[in-house]
Amino acid sequence: MKTIKYIMGLLVAFSMTGCNDWFDVSPETQISSDDLYATGNGFRMQVNGIYKSLSAQNLYGKELTWGLVDVLGQYYIKENLDQVYQDVNDRLYETSDVLSLTDAIWSGMYKVIADCNNIIEHVENASNSIFENGEGEKCKIHGEALAMRAFIHFDLLRLFAPSPAQNENGKWIPYVKDSESVINNKMTVKQVLENVEQDLLEAHSLMVQWDSVVSYSKSYREEVIWMWVVMGGYWKSWSDESEYAEFFGHQRSRMNMVSVNALLARVYAYMGEKKKAYDVIEEMLKMGGRWEEWRFDQMDYLPAGECRLLGDVIFNLYNKQAGEYYAPYLTSEHPLYLRNITQVFPSRNQIDGRFEKLLMRIGSDYVSVKNRRTNSDVAYLPVIRKSELYYIKGEYLASVGRVDEAVELLRKVRSARGDISTDDLNSITTEAGYIQAMLADARKEFIAEGQSFYMFKRLNLPVFDGKQNIDFRNNNYLPVPKSEESAF
């Protein structure tokens, strides 16, 4: 049997000339005219609008990455925070400023869900003939809208409800599948997760014919799976692009068959389905054949303060204003100081490139520079990394007694990040030991990315801030807005 490689546009997505143009499209995100869906380009504009809306400052451009969610993750020194963040840090969710902030997140997310539903409703009834690539393109767009609907609901659940490990019952948030919905019944955590899984599996099946076309590659001299198949026909050279090629070229900034698998793994881990999570990750990584396409960025070769570690990012959003949002927090007057950073990176581990190259000292303490304006990668907002999938794979392996294999995955992450002091991993022989080491590394890995908090939450553990455990497991979710009219 021939070996089939998986060739992705991910490797070149960030170096394409004119890459900003695709993201500069400013479509309407509230759609009322069916005329917009008369052409494939109209659908593409609306899909673009989904990603653009999610990268806004009140969502993943700030609050759902380095803002509110990292405050919940106990990353920052409280005294330097704005009052609204001090309240979030102290779990005072009912103050007027916090309610205003969380209501904006809730309403912003559900508005994008409505846009997803609008696309889904129209694409289901659209003729294949209006799309330049026919049924394949239609299915791709349909799958993206479903996947993004699932993604947004899942993050709403992680933020506004307890984790399954805490409480699968109780009614928390609605799962909205109708763009015209005004009244929606809230569901249990379990019911929401079942809907998320269903949407992701359907999205995966729709994307198959677009994202896994098998053809012969002259470069590799064998059959390959082209996830980026459209580019073979539309990308003529680095200096000769079409808008169509631009749209489908940014695969790391779009949902695709691979990022759907990665999101499924995150969802299964949250559900406590460790074996399912492991299996879907294995399926995803095997798509790279013997040349696994997601290589970790090697910190030794990256300039200090000029990187987002994009080499292993599987899905990101994009906002050219990201550096501007963060700029006020890199000043000596208003620094966003990281808490207990020398404990998070103990002396033996300060050789870690994440300490040496992604942090900066201002006065007496350290801040993250991932979001600094001078960082050429600052516009890309990492959402899912390969490192998280390694952590999840390790959890399953450790749970079935394969602790050595789990530790080896963790060692690979730490080694790639320039941490040569991995001897402390040699003493890990239990699942609990692996979990502790994994969470310690995740706290380093996800600075300014909004993922560490969710890991502690899904494992039903107190948040470890590098120095102490902060236990707010009975209060680790935000209040749903009292009036859901703000959502739709």
Side-chain angles (χ1 to χ4, degrees), residues 73-92:
Q74 307 296 301
Y75 266 105
Y76 303 121
I77 295 175
K78 174 184 171 181
E79 289 70 23
N80 287 86
L81 296 174
D82 297 330
Q83 186 59 52
V84 64
Y85 281 168
Q86 289 194 34
D87 291 341
V88 172
N89 180 87
D90 292 343
R91 282 77 66 194
L92 302 175

Side-chain angles (χ1 to χ4, degrees), residues 210-372:
W210 184 274
D211 288 344
S212 62
V213 174
V214 178
S215 61
Y216 184 80
S217 168
K218 293 180 180 178
S219 299
Y220 288 89
R221 297 181 180 178
E222 62 181 310
E223 287 186 331
V224 296
I225 299 176
W226 289 96
M227 182 175 137
W228 214 24
V229 63
V230 67
M231 300 308 292
Y234 289 87
W235 194 266
K236 307 302 181 184
S237 71
W238 293 119
S239 59
D240 179 19
E241 309 132 18
S242 69
E243 291 183 6
Y244 189 67
E246 277 277 290
F247 178 78
F248 282 107
H250 291 266
Q251 283 298 316
R252 242 191 290 211
S253 299
R254 311 178 61 80
M255 272 290 169
N256 52 60
M257 201 169 71
V258 172
S259 48
V260 165
N261 268 27
L263 182 55
L264 263 172
R266 179 183 281 176
V267 170
Y268 286 142
Y270 201 70
M271 294 167 69
E273 297 280 2
K274 296 179 182 179
K275 181 61 164 60
K276 282 187 176 181
Y278 178 87
D279 287 344
V280 79
I281 294 170
E282 284 291 275
E283 177 187 335
M284 191 203 78
L285 294 179
K286 285 177 182 177
M287 291 175 182
R290 64 179 182 272
W291 293 30
E292 185 180 309
E293 296 296 336
W294 296 277
R295 296 182 178 88
F296 289 108
D297 279 339
Q298 299 295 321
M299 297 295 298
D300 293 345
Y301 304 104
L302 297 174
E306 298 298 322
C307 54
R308 280 271 204 183
L309 302 176
L310 296 178
D312 69 300
V313 171
I314 294 167
F315 176 60
N316 65 258
L317 294 165
Y318 181 94
N319 188 327
K320 289 195 297 183
Q321 298 301 309
E324 302 302 321
Y325 303 154
Y326 194 71
Y329 300 96
L330 280 174
T331 65
S332 57
E333 293 79 22
H334 196 47
L336 198 59
Y337 281 143
L338 292 163
R339 185 187 303 183
N340 303 325
I341 204 64
T342 55
Q343 285 80 29
V344 172
F345 292 92
S347 57
R348 71 176 186 278
N349 285 333
Q350 286 182 11
I351 191 65
D352 192 314
R354 293 168 293 192
F355 178 87
E356 291 187 313
K357 298 187 176 184
L358 299 181
L359 303 179
M360 178 176 71
R361 191 162 191 151
I362 297 179
S364 59
D365 285 289
Y366 290 88
V367 296
S368 169
V369 294
K370 284 182 181 177
N371 298 289
R372 189 165 61 176

